Amino acid sequence: MISIFFIIFAIFILFNINKMTYSLCLQKDIPEERQPKVYRTINILVTILLISSFVENLYR
């Protein structure tokens, strides 16, 4: 049950982080060719944080 809640929470977090990344790219005038690298880096880091928090809660 907690796993399902956490997966829904993670999808919500990733969606909101991507919206904020889009706003950052517009505000800072990041060139089009660098935007995929920015998105990839931020998504990987957030995914690592979500997985580590899931594992921490799993073994608590």
Side-chain angles (χ1 to χ4, degrees):
M1 181 68 184
I2 293 176
S3 298
I4 294 170
F5 172 74
F6 196 85
I7 290 170
I8 293 170
F9 175 72
I11 291 170
F12 177 74
I13 292 296
L14 282 171
F15 179 72
N16 282 331
I17 292 294
N18 280 329
K19 283 188 351 184
M20 289 190 293
T21 304
Y22 177 74
S23 298
L24 173 75
C25 288
L26 288 179
Q27 184 178 10
K28 297 295 181 182
D29 294 328
I30 297 175
E32 292 279 332
E33 58 272 0
R34 286 194 52 212
Q35 286 183 11
K37 187 174 181 180
V38 171
Y39 274 99
R40 189 178 322 115
T41 303
I42 291 174
N43 283 333
I44 289 171
L45 293 174
V46 170
T47 303
I48 290 169
L49 285 172
L50 287 170
I51 290 171
S52 66
S53 64
F54 178 74
V55 169
E56 180 183 347
N57 286 330
L58 186 65
Y59 292 112
R60 190 182 284 198

